[in-house]
Amino acid sequence: MHKMFHKWLFICIFPAFCITLAASYFLQTRQAEENARYMLSSNLDDGAKYLRMVVTNATHIREISDAGALAKARAFAAIITQNPGILNVTTLMFFLRKLLDVEELNVTDEQGVVVASTSSFVGYDMATSPQSAAFLPALRDLEFTLVQDIIPRGADNEPFQYAGVARRDCTGIVQIGYSPRRLLEALRVAAVDEIAPRYHIGSQGFMAIAIYGAVISSGSETAVPVGASVRSLGLIQAQQSGMVTILGKQYLCQSMEADGYTLFALLPRSEVFFSRDSMLMYIAACNIVLFALIFWMVSHLVKRLVINDVYRVNADLQKITSGNLDVVLNERTTPEFGLLSDGINKTVQSLKQAIDAAAGRIDAELEFARAIQCSSLPSVFPAYPEREDFDIFAVMRAAKVVGGDFYDFYLRDKNQLVIVVADVADKGIGAALFMMTAKTLIKSLAESGLSPAEIFLQANRRISAQNDQDIFLTAFLGVLDLTTGRLVCANAGHEHPLLFRQQEARYSWIEAGHGLPLGAMGNSSYREQTFQLSPGDRLLLYTDGVSEAENSQGGRLGLSGIENAVSGTEGMSAEKTVQTLLQKVEDFASGVEQSDDITILALEFAGMAWDELLVTADDAHLESVLAFLETKLKAAQCPAKTLPLLLVAAEEVFTNIAHYAYAPDQGTVLLRCRARSGPFQLVVQFQDSGRPFNPLQQPGPDTTLPAGQRDEGGLGIAMVRRIMTRMDYSRTADGKNILTLWRQEEA
C-alpha cells in the first residue's frame, strides 16, 4: 500500500518538477550571458581608456627624454666652440662628462673619426658600423640632430642610448652616450605590457592585449601567453563576442580595438553561469522541500516505528566496532528488533571470549620469548665465584616485553675475558630475534681467537649480507687479559664507556674511535684501542637507553647525569655500581615509561699485585734490574734450570730498550713482575715511552748460514722467544711500548 501510494505521487509531481527546472534553466542562462557581456564591455572600455593614456604618456616621456639629451649634446658642442682646447685635456673632458651627467663624450673630425673621447674610442671611424654611421649626416648638415633608440651596450649588455649634433667650431660630430635609467623606469610604469595584468574580471577572468596579431600583454600567462598568435588561440575578432576554448577550458570572449591595439576580455564559462547554477540549485531545493513536505506524514510514521530503532542499533554497533565490547543492545519495540538485539549480544559475547583467549596466548608467547631472551644473557652473579682477579655485573631492562639490547661476557681461555654490550636499532620481537643472531655470531667469532676489530669486521660482513630488514646494531667489545690488565677494545658506533682509574680516584670517558654500526655498510672497517688496567680500575658500559632516559618534562639524563650518578661509587662493587646507576635512571624518569631498552655492565679488574721497579734506561742499571727479578723468581720457587734462562731473556730485552728506545736521549723503563709457584708461572712486563718498536714483527736470523754471513740483529729476540712461553707487544693510546713475557712450567 505504501509503495503504491509513493509510486503514483511521484509520477504526478516529477514532471512538474522537471518542467519548472527546464524553464528556469533557459531564463537564467540568458540572464547570465547578458550580465557577463556587460561586465566584459565595461572592463574593455576602461582598459581602452587606460591604454590610450599610457600610449600618450609614453610618447611624451620619450620626447622629453630626447629633448634633454639633445640639450646636453648642444651644450657640449657650445663649450667646444668656446674652447676647442679642452678636447686635449682629459681631466676637463671627464669633468664635463660628470657635469652633463652622461657616461660617454665623443668628438670626431671632418672625416668622422673620433679625436676625443672619455672612453676608448679615439681613432674609431664612425662609418665602421651602421649604429655609429647614423650620425655621419652631421658632417654635412649643421642642423642635424639624432637621438637613437635604446640598444644593449656591447661591453655589459646594459641598456644604452646615444645622441649627437654637428660641431659648431668645425666640421665634425659631437656625441654623448648615457644610460636611460630614468626613461626606462618611466616607460616601465607606462608600459602597455603591464596593462592587462592590472585588470581582474570577476574572480578568474582576465584581459589580454594584442597588436599585429600577436599577444603583448596578458593577465593569465597560462591561458594566453605573451607572444602567442591571436589566430592560433582562436580569440574572437574585434567588436565581437562568443565562446572560445583555450587549453580545454571554455571562456566567454569579447574584444574591441583602440589606437591600433586589440583588447580581449575573457571570463571562464563556469563563472559566467555560476549565478544560473546557484539559482537552479535554489529552485531545486525549494521543489525538494515541497516534495518532502508531501511525504512528511508517511515518513514520520515510518520513522517512529522503524527508523529510530535502527539508529539506536547502529549507534550501539558503532560503539562495538570501535572496541567497546561491553555494550548490550536492548531494543524491544517490535519482536523483530528483540530478536536482532539478542543475536547481536550473543555474537559480541562470543567475540569477547575469543579475544580473551587470543590475548592469553599472545601474553604466554611473549613471556616465553622473554624467558628465552633472558636465558641467553648471563644472569647468575657472581658469574665466576672461583675467580678473584675480576668482578663483573650486568642488567638489561627491555622497553617492551622483549627488547633489542644485549650484553655478554665469557672466558675464551682461562686468562682472556671477552665483554660485549650492544643495542639493536629496533624494539620488540623482531629486534630480539636479530639480537639473538648477532649475539651468537659475535660469540662464535670471539671464541675463535680473533681480535676485537677482526670480530666486528667479519660480523659486519655477515650481518650486512643477510640484512633484508635493514636493521643494524651498535656494539662495544673488549678483550681483557687478566694476567696483565691489558684491555683491547673496538667500538661499532656505541656509546663511549666510562673508565675508573684507582690511582686517579675518578671516572673518565673512553672516547674510543667510532666505527659504523654493524649491518649499516658491508665494507666498514674498525680499529682497536689498547688500555692498560691496574688493579682496582673499573669499566662501565651502557646503552643509549641510559643517556636518553626521559622524564615527564621531556628532559634527558645525558652524559652529565651518568657522571653524577656514578660519582661516589668508587668503593662499591660492580653490582652496587650498576644498581646505583639504574636507580638514578628510575628516579630521573619518575615513573615515565621509557621508549628504549636499558642495559648496564660494570667490570672491575682486581688482578694480582705487580712488583714494580722504575729505572733509567741505561746499562748502568742492568744489574739492579736482574737483581730485582732474581729475588722475585726465587721467592716464587722458580726451578733452578729455568732461572738463568729467564735472567738472560730479561737482560736481552732491557739492553735493547737501553740502546735503542730513546737514543740519543734518555728515558725510563718500568719493570713489572708477577710470579707464583705450584706450578711456577711468571709474567714480566717492560714499559717504555720511547719510539714505537714491535720486536715480534722483526725477522729472525737465518741459522742456515755461517755466523759470519748472517745479518746483524734478530738473534737476541729469537732467543727470548725460545725461552718464554708467550710474548705480546702493544702500543697504548698514551704512547707507551708494552712488551709482556710469559713463562709457565708444566705441573
Side-chain angles (χ1 to χ4, degrees):
M1 181 65 181
H2 284 273
K3 291 183 180 180
M4 184 65 66
F5 173 75
H6 290 163
K7 176 181 177 181
W8 283 106
L9 185 60
F10 183 79
I11 291 174
C12 293
I13 294 179
F14 185 72
F17 177 76
C18 293
I19 292 172
T20 302
L21 284 181
S24 300
Y25 176 82
F26 287 113
L27 290 175
Q28 291 298 323
T29 298
R30 182 176 178 183
Q31 184 65 41
E33 289 180 347
E34 290 179 357
N35 291 341
R37 288 191 175 91
Y38 177 77
M39 181 167 59
L40 295 177
S41 297
S42 299
N43 279 274
L44 285 173
D45 290 340
D46 188 50
K49 292 177 182 178
Y50 188 76
L51 174 65
R52 294 187 185 98
M53 181 185 70
V54 166
V55 172
T56 302
N57 290 343
T59 302
H60 290 168
I61 291 171
R62 177 62 188 270
E63 290 174 353
I64 293 171
S65 175
D66 291 353
L70 289 176
K72 293 179 180 180
R74 290 190 180 102
F76 183 39
I79 293 172
I80 295 172
T81 301
Q82 294 294 325
N83 189 2
I86 64 174
L87 297 180
N88 300 321
V89 183
T90 303
T91 54
L92 290 177
M93 288 286 287
F94 278 94
F95 173 76
L96 289 175
R97 184 192 71 174
K98 183 176 181 181
L99 181 67
L100 295 173
D101 190 20
V102 296
E103 296 187 20
E104 287 186 19
L105 294 176
N106 300 311
V107 180
T108 75
D109 57 12
E110 66 276 4
Q111 301 297 323
V113 177
V114 177
V115 295
S117 174
T118 59
S119 296
S120 57
F121 293 130
V122 174
Y124 175 75
D125 188 350
M126 297 190 69
T128 304
S129 71
Q131 181 269 329
S132 57
F135 290 93
L136 292 178
L139 299 175
R140 300 182 300 274
D141 184 3
L142 287 177
E143 302 302 322
F144 176 81
T145 61
L146 175 62
V147 180
Q148 291 186 325
D149 290 334
I150 300 172
I151 59 173
R153 183 163 55 185
D156 52 15
N157 211 33
E158 289 292 323
F160 209 70
Q161 197 170 12
Y162 284 98
V165 299
R167 288 181 64 172
R168 297 296 180 176
D169 59 322
C170 63
T171 301
I173 303 169
V174 175
Q175 184 189 63
I176 65 171
Y178 56 94
S179 176
R181 290 183 295 273
R182 298 186 183 89
L183 173 60
L184 289 175
E185 291 173 0
L187 291 177
R188 189 175 295 112
V189 173
V192 174
D193 59 358
E194 297 295 330
I195 296 177
R198 297 173 181 266
Y199 286 85
H200 301 281
I201 304 174
S203 62
Q204 300 182 30
F206 60 92
M207 184 181 290
I209 302 175
I211 189 170
Y212 304 127
V215 177
I216 62 171
S217 178
S218 174
S220 175
E221 283 284 338
T222 304
V224 180
V226 173
S229 169
V230 171
R231 178 171 297 180
S232 65
L233 293 173
L235 299 179
I236 301 298
Q237 297 302 313
Q239 314 304 328
Q240 297 180 17
S241 65
M243 286 291 177
V244 297
T245 301
I246 302 175
L247 298 177
K249 186 175 182 179
Q250 285 192 319
Y251 295 84
L252 178 62
C253 177
Q254 191 164 329
S255 63
M256 69 178 297
E257 291 189 353
D259 287 359
Y261 296 89
T262 303
L263 284 74
F264 299 92
L266 297 97
L267 188 66
R269 187 180 186 279
S270 58
E271 191 171 345
V272 172
F273 297 115
F274 177 77
S275 60
R276 178 201 67 184
D277 296 340
S278 301
M279 182 58 68
L280 287 177
M281 291 179 64
Y282 176 76
I283 294 172
C286 291
N287 287 333
I288 291 173
V289 171
L290 179 62
F291 187 77
L293 289 174
I294 298 173
F295 278 87
W296 181 80
M297 290 302 297
V298 176
S299 63
H300 181 68
L301 181 61
V302 172
K303 179 179 179 181
R304 291 186 60 184
L305 294 177
V306 179
I307 296 177
N308 286 343
D309 287 345
V310 172
Y311 284 162
R312 283 192 289 271
V313 171
N314 284 341
D316 289 340
L317 287 176
Q318 182 67 33
K319 295 177 183 178
I320 292 172
T321 57
S322 299
N324 186 1
L325 301 183
D326 295 327
V327 175
V328 177
L329 275 70
N330 191 27
E331 303 299 331
R332 307 290 177 182
T333 55
T334 65
E336 291 80 5
F337 275 106
L339 291 173
L340 177 62
S341 297
D342 293 339
I344 293 175
N345 291 334
K346 291 180 180 179
T347 302
V348 172
Q349 189 63 30
S350 299
L351 180 60
K352 288 176 63 178
Q353 294 174 357
I355 291 175
D356 291 341
R361 289 193 301 271
I362 292 174
D363 290 341
E365 291 173 359
L366 288 176
E367 189 60 36
F368 182 65
R370 178 178 176 82
I372 293 176
Q373 183 185 26
C374 291
S375 67
S376 69
L377 303 178
S379 57
V380 178
F381 297 98
Y384 300 95
E386 73 283 359
R387 301 296 294 253
E388 298 181 356
D389 46 358
F390 70 94
D391 181 23
I392 192 166
F393 186 84
V395 66
M396 194 275 284
R397 297 281 178 86
K400 296 186 177 181
V401 177
V402 289
D405 281 11
F406 74 87
Y407 66 86
D408 204 358
F409 54 84
Y410 36 84
L411 290 167
R412 67 179 182 184
D413 61 36
K414 65 179 182 179
N415 289 321
Q416 291 195 64
L417 175 67
V418 180
I419 55 172
V420 184
V421 172
D423 182 4
V424 178
D426 202 352
K427 303 293 176 289
I429 293 178
L433 293 175
F434 187 84
M435 176 272 283
M436 296 288 288
T437 301
K439 177 178 176 296
T440 303
L441 174 60
I442 291 174
K443 185 171 184 179
S444 66
L445 292 172
E447 290 181 339
S448 67
L450 298 176
S451 66
E454 187 64 27
I455 292 171
F456 278 170
L457 181 66
Q458 295 195 25
N460 179 61
R461 289 176 181 172
R462 298 186 191 182
I463 291 173
S464 300
Q466 301 175 358
N467 192 8
D468 296 334
Q469 302 301 319
D470 291 331
I471 301 177
F472 60 87
L473 77 156
T474 65
F476 182 94
L477 184 145
V479 178
L480 175 63
D481 190 320
L482 297 171
T483 61
T484 65
R486 177 171 172 262
L487 174 67
V488 182
C489 56
N491 192 329
H494 199 71
E495 303 292 313
H496 292 307
L498 272 170
L499 178 62
F500 173 74
R501 293 287 191 182
Q502 179 70 32
Q503 186 176 1
E504 301 173 4
R506 67 181 183 88
Y507 282 95
S508 60
W509 296 101
I510 296 181
E511 297 189 357
H514 268 167
L516 290 177
L518 302 181
M521 292 183 64
N523 59 350
S524 298
S525 60
Y526 301 89
R527 60 189 180 91
E528 297 173 349
Q529 282 193 317
T530 302
F531 299 91
Q532 182 63 46
L533 301 188
S534 299
D537 290 353
R538 182 182 306 154
L539 183 67
L540 184 65
L541 306 176
Y542 58 93
T543 58
D544 58 4
V546 177
S547 58
E548 296 178 4
E550 293 187 354
N551 57 20
S552 57
Q553 287 77 38
R556 293 188 173 183
L557 181 63
L559 300 181
S560 59
I562 296 176
E563 285 187 290
N564 293 334
V566 300
S567 177
T569 64
E570 293 80 3
M572 297 181 183
S573 65
E575 178 179 1
K576 189 63 176 176
T577 301
V578 171
Q579 297 295 355
T580 300
L581 179 55
L582 184 61
Q583 186 62 47
K584 175 66 176 181
V585 173
E586 293 176 351
D587 294 343
F588 178 80
S590 301
V592 175
E593 183 178 356
Q594 298 302 301
S595 60
D596 204 353
D597 305 334
I598 295 175
T599 299
I600 308 172
L601 182 146
L603 168 65
E604 181 171 343
F605 175 64
M608 294 175 57
W610 290 94
D611 293 314
E612 297 182 348
L613 176 66
L614 180 65
V615 297
T616 303
D618 58 39
D619 293 336
H621 291 85
L622 175 60
E623 291 299 327
S624 59
V625 168
L626 297 179
F628 168 79
L629 185 59
E630 184 177 5
T631 301
K632 303 305 176 184
L633 293 178
K634 289 180 179 179
Q637 300 178 4
C638 175
K641 64 178 182 178
T642 305
L643 190 147
L645 297 176
L646 297 177
L647 294 178
V648 170
E651 179 180 357
E652 178 63 29
V653 174
F654 181 82
T655 303
N656 282 339
I657 296 174
H659 290 178
Y660 304 111
Y662 297 100
D665 300 322
Q666 280 194 337
T668 60
V669 178
L670 176 63
L671 174 64
R672 308 177 76 199
C673 174
R674 191 162 61 195
R676 64 184 179 188
S677 59
F680 174 76
Q681 181 180 355
L682 170 70
V683 182
V684 61
Q685 193 176 82
F686 293 86
Q687 295 186 15
D688 69 80
S689 301
R691 60 178 59 88
F693 177 73
N694 185 354
L696 304 184
Q697 295 180 349
Q698 305 307 310
D702 188 355
T703 57
T704 62
L705 297 175
Q709 298 180 12
R710 299 175 191 168
D711 294 334
E712 293 185 2
L715 186 60
I717 295 298
M719 180 178 60
V720 174
R721 284 182 172 178
R722 183 178 296 274
I723 294 173
M724 306 309 294
T725 305
R726 175 183 161 201
M727 293 179 62
D728 183 69
Y729 168 83
S730 64
R731 177 80 175 182
T732 63
D734 55 354
K736 290 182 180 179
N737 296 306
I738 300 179
L739 181 64
T740 308
L741 311 177
W742 285 264
R743 173 72 183 211
Q744 185 167 352
E745 299 292 328
E746 297 295 333

